Amino acid sequence: MSPTTLRSWDRRYGIGPAVRDEGRHRRWSPRDIEVLEEMCRLTASGVPPAEAARAARSSTGGPGPAAEVPARETPRSRAAGALPLGDVRQEARGLARAAVRLDAPAIEELLAAAVEQYGVVAAWQEVMMPTLNAVGRKWASSGDRYVEVEHLLSWHVSTALRRRAPAAPQSATGPVVLACAPGEQHALPLEALNAALGERGVPTRMFGAAVPGETLVAAVRRLGPSAVFLWAQGRSTADLPLARHVATTRWGVKGARRRPAVVLGGPGWSGAAAREMPWPAALKDAVELLSAAATGS
């Protein structure tokens, strides 16, 4: 933890050394460390700092050093590194605090718990995405100061999603192909979709970021998928001619040739693309659409 955070918690919440030497030295006793560790555990789980401080001091054997603790956390009392989250689940607040502290074990534990409790779709939409968006806003407003927070959080989100995405057996209608448009590097939403389809038992083939057009078409011909989901984060990577080409790609014996349903995903698609092909607005909508295509219903 940074010295700034330690001093802030000491000043605002009384989480600090109970005994101080003369001068500027701060001597932390084993009990002081125990209180601090409990404070970290509680804030990582989403408990507001003021509540966490009261609980940490009482659960470790006494009130600790006297301090004026505010009844509730206010914008002025937040740490300088706090992320702008708004009205979100408590789990998202805990995840944000753990990410800012670069607390990898806590991040991993919180993500696993969220996925286990709520399932992939709700964990993505209500815990992971709000935190990732808040990190992105903080990064954008602070230069490159928070790039390490964004990278660490993204890595652990990806890990949690992959652990939740077992390979499903092949279906009679073919798997769902998941791919980013050529040049598109933002594959994390695609990983969330892959994990959510895995929960449903829908077979997928995950190709990830920046799939060249000719490679995608060749894979479609080889696999005979029930559907192809094409992700584009930005307009510069949304390739409508490629989507049209994939939608007209056919395979199979003469008289029984098939072609895939093409579903578009991401804010990069707009206008004509949205009118031509399905363009679900949220993860849950994409899961329903692709599950139906995979089962032939």
Side-chain angles (χ1 to χ4, degrees):
M1 296 185 64
S2 71
T4 301
T5 300
L6 289 175
R7 285 192 290 267
S8 173
W9 282 4
D10 188 9
R11 184 176 66 253
R12 292 170 179 159
Y13 311 122
I15 303 295
V19 178
R20 300 168 187 264
D21 292 345
E22 292 184 6
R24 302 180 66 183
H25 295 290
R26 299 155 58 83
R27 302 291 183 182
W28 290 74
S29 70
R31 181 191 169 278
D32 295 332
I33 297 295
E34 187 181 354
V35 174
L36 178 63
E37 288 176 338
E38 180 66 6
M39 175 78 169
C40 289
R41 187 189 69 79
L42 290 168
T43 56
S45 67
V47 178
E51 284 183 37
R54 286 192 289 269
R57 292 197 307 274
S58 63
S59 67
T60 52
E68 185 66 29
V69 179
R72 66 191 331 185
E73 186 181 12
T74 64
R76 184 169 292 181
S77 72
R78 294 186 193 125
L83 298 176
L85 282 163
D87 185 15
V88 296
R89 282 186 181 272
Q90 178 173 295
E91 290 88 348
R93 296 190 181 282
L95 183 60
R97 293 188 181 105
V100 170
R101 291 203 308 268
L102 303 180
D103 188 344
I107 293 172
E108 185 172 334
E109 182 180 338
L110 289 164
L111 288 170
V115 172
E116 184 65 30
Q117 181 174 356
Y118 301 118
V120 170
V121 172
W124 171 257
Q125 293 181 169
E126 300 179 27
V127 179
M128 298 177 187
M129 274 299 294
T131 311
L132 287 165
N133 287 337
V135 172
R137 290 192 296 271
K138 192 75 171 180
W139 181 7
S141 64
S142 306
D144 287 336
R145 285 180 53 207
Y146 285 81
V147 64
E148 76 285 1
V149 177
E150 194 273 341
H151 283 196
L152 182 70
L153 181 59
S154 295
W155 171 261
H156 283 284
V157 167
S158 176
T159 301
L161 292 170
R162 292 186 189 190
R163 286 174 176 166
R164 194 69 172 189
Q170 181 74 320
S171 68
T173 57
V176 174
V177 166
L178 307 174
C180 286
E184 180 56 68
Q185 298 293 337
H186 294 83
L188 205 53
L190 212 57
E191 294 186 35
L193 178 57
N194 186 55
L197 290 171
E199 278 191 334
R200 292 281 193 97
V202 176
T204 62
R205 295 296 183 271
M206 172 62 154
F207 294 151
V211 181
E214 61 274 15
T215 301
L216 178 61
V217 172
V220 167
R221 290 199 175 105
R222 288 170 61 191
L223 287 168
S226 56
V228 175
F229 185 86
L230 198 55
W231 177 268
Q233 184 77 18
R235 287 194 174 189
S236 62
T237 59
D239 190 337
L240 185 55
L242 173 61
R244 289 170 176 158
H245 184 39
V246 171
T248 59
T249 300
R250 295 179 177 272
W251 60 86
V253 298
K254 187 176 181 180
R257 295 175 67 80
R258 296 185 295 129
R259 63 182 183 179
V262 175
V263 179
L264 306 176
W269 305 99
S270 61
R275 291 192 295 271
E276 282 187 39
M277 301 171 189
W279 186 25
L283 176 60
K284 63 179 181 179
D285 301 322
V287 170
E288 294 295 336
L289 196 59
L290 294 170
S291 297
T295 59
S297 58

